[in-house]
Amino acid sequence: MGLCESVTFPAFVVLASAWFPCQERSVLYTCTNAGAYLGTAIAFPLSGFIINLNLGPRDEWSKQQGLCKHGISNTWQWVFYGFGVAGVLWWVGWQLLIQGDPAEDTRISSSELEYLTLTTKQDADRSKVTVHKSPMVPWVNFFSSGCAVVLYLNHFAAGWGSYTLLTYLPKYLSEIQHFDLAKSGGIASLPYLLMWVVAVTSGRAADWLIKRHLTVRSVRVLMQSIAFVGSGGLLVLTGFVEAQALAIAAVTLSVGLSGAATAGCIMVYLDLSPHYSGEFFSVGNTIGNLAGIIAPLVAGQILDSKGVDGNSGRSQWRQVFYLSAAVYAVALVMWILWSKAKPYQPLN
């Protein structure tokens, strides 16, 4: 499933480079990309609802392991069937409605086509930089350019925090905050709902600031700082908070603020390489998704170790939160010092 879905975001970035005018690039991209966060927010409670539709008695093994407190689900497989069917139906609509090249869309007006042709590959800054499309994809430069490496590291850092919490947030809520996720009204979905709101808002704010004559780089640094300082700081705070409501509020805000990175480092693939942004993003997304393998493994090792304070594993959770905050901090310093956000000829 992961192999098949791996082409989704690079393909979307190619579409964005062809369809999103530079003056509206941030808001259009973040609104579309944020659909993934909204999907996560919907999937958590919906999956729980489906799984709990029909519960059978527990077997001896589940009793011994302390699992399935409310019974063993007889409907868990419908989570996969339901989302699978939804994906197929979406694909049908996609094939009928979407064109990769505006010039091939029979429903587009000539004035809109001309507008897109003039603006989609442009620099959004007032001081315009024009780059030309190389005859071949600059694969070597994707790996050797300093600004590309800094971008990949920030993409990786954003993934580190996101994948850690995506994997272990339910465990934290149930084991440390003693939330019954089956009866919590979808509390686990709130961080991702807020992440969707922040991503969409940050995209609109980014375009507004660029139109008010801030440089694109300044705006990307600002949004990345909101994401990493806000998210990392709240993770550190979560490690010290024991009150249930405050801890849940802190971790919810931490996940939510990380959505601002969509208008930060994630947008820079289009800023740097308007002509080969899909290929460029495929490299960065691969590196970023390595965090989805490494971060849960590291967090799992920490959480499986014995705590030093004997207090329900809180010391291990502090280590997980501090590590994520440290990854954010190192990446942000590099971003502030060495990032670029103007079209760069070696990457085009």
Side-chain angles (χ1 to χ4, degrees), residues 154-175:
N154 272 262
H155 197 153
F156 179 88
W160 185 284
S162 295
Y163 282 117
T164 297
L165 290 175
L166 181 64
T167 305
Y168 287 107
L169 180 59
K171 180 181 177 73
Y172 172 77
L173 292 175
S174 64
E175 294 187 3

Side-chain angles (χ1 to χ4, degrees), residues 253-273:
L253 286 170
S254 175
V255 176
L257 287 175
S258 70
T262 310
C265 69
I266 305 301
M267 281 298 311
V268 172
Y269 292 98
L270 286 164
D271 294 330
L272 287 173
S273 182

Side-chain angles (χ1 to χ4, degrees), residues 72-246:
I72 297 176
S73 174
N74 295 316
T75 52
W76 63 267
Q77 63 269 36
W78 287 99
V79 173
F80 296 91
Y81 297 156
F83 288 131
V85 169
V88 171
L89 292 176
W90 169 86
W91 176 82
V92 172
W94 179 268
Q95 295 299 316
L96 293 174
L97 299 173
I98 301 300
Q99 291 290 341
D101 186 346
E104 297 175 0
D105 193 330
T106 57
R107 292 160 296 188
I108 194 173
S109 67
S110 57
S111 59
E112 185 180 3
L113 177 59
E114 181 181 5
Y115 175 66
L116 291 174
T117 302
L118 291 173
T119 59
T120 51
K121 308 298 182 184
Q122 271 193 352
D123 182 3
D125 268 330
R126 286 175 62 81
S127 57
K128 303 290 184 184
V129 169
T130 302
V131 294
H132 304 285
K133 185 176 182 179
S134 304
M136 297 181 65
V137 180
W139 291 110
V140 173
N141 292 338
F142 287 164
F143 290 96
S144 60
S145 259
C147 59
V149 172
V150 170
L151 176 55
Y152 301 152
L153 291 174
N154 272 262
H155 197 153
F156 179 88
W160 185 284
S162 295
Y163 282 117
T164 297
L165 290 175
L166 181 64
T167 305
Y168 287 107
L169 180 59
K171 180 181 177 73
Y172 172 77
L173 292 175
S174 64
E175 294 187 3
I176 302 301
Q177 297 305 329
H178 308 296
F179 249 88
D180 186 345
L181 294 175
K183 299 180 179 180
S184 63
I187 191 72
S189 69
L190 288 179
Y192 301 99
L193 187 61
L194 182 59
M195 194 178 187
W196 170 67
V197 172
V198 170
V200 172
T201 304
S202 65
R204 185 168 293 278
D207 279 341
W208 185 85
L209 290 169
I210 291 169
K211 288 175 183 176
R212 296 305 183 276
H213 310 320
L214 264 70
T215 65
V216 174
R217 183 182 185 277
S218 298
V219 172
R220 303 298 182 228
V221 168
L222 173 62
M223 295 303 167
Q224 196 74 356
S225 299
I226 291 171
F228 282 6
V229 172
S231 185
L234 284 162
L235 282 178
V236 172
L237 178 63
T238 302
F240 288 98
V241 174
E242 296 192 9
Q244 187 185 79
L246 288 176

